[in-house]
Amino acid sequence: MKAPTDLAELTDFFDRYGTALTSGDVTAISRCYAVPGMVVADAYSFTFTSPAAVALSFLGAAPAYEEQQIVAAHAQLLDVQRLSPALSMVAVEWEYLDSRGNAVPGEKYSYLLRVDADGPKITTVVATR
């Protein structure tokens, strides 16, 4: 497998991931992750070892998006680094759109992606604000 550095492939992947996040489709979110996986932020870290655990960890995100009336998410790819034949680190700034068409301040993350037979999968997420 070859690490994803093609911008079209990465854009497609993050478009699918953003749609899953803003629609609360935890099954589609879990398909974007390799297991085991990890999320790391300043105040917390958690791991998951199954697609069901990924889905459960994102159940709380849907109400937050609904509360802010976020209906769309666009990933602006800031940097892509190929680390190995199968791994890439991708820096992303998310741009959100609410139900009235207004921009909502986004967040920044770095994603460690691994390519498998199904394409890129997230192995680690680091909040980078």
Side-chain angles (χ1 to χ4, degrees), residues 2-93:
K2 200 170 173 197
T5 54
D6 179 277
L7 292 181
E9 179 184 15
L10 290 170
T11 298
D12 178 61
F13 172 78
F14 283 107
D15 284 350
R16 285 185 284 116
Y17 183 56
T19 298
L21 287 171
T22 56
S23 68
D25 185 346
V26 294
T27 301
I29 292 169
S30 67
R31 280 191 231 114
C32 293
Y33 279 81
V35 290
M38 182 177 213
V39 175
V40 180
D42 288 342
Y44 62 87
S45 296
F46 61 89
T47 61
F48 33 80
T49 58
S50 70
V54 174
L56 283 173
S57 68
F58 281 93
L59 279 177
Y65 287 122
E66 287 176 19
E67 184 178 300
Q68 295 179 51
Q69 299 181 358
I70 293 174
V71 297
H74 170 73
Q76 180 182 0
L77 306 181
L78 303 175
D79 188 42
V80 178
Q81 297 176 9
R82 185 172 177 189
L83 304 176
S84 76
L87 299 173
S88 291
M89 182 66 76
V90 181
V92 171
E93 181 169 8

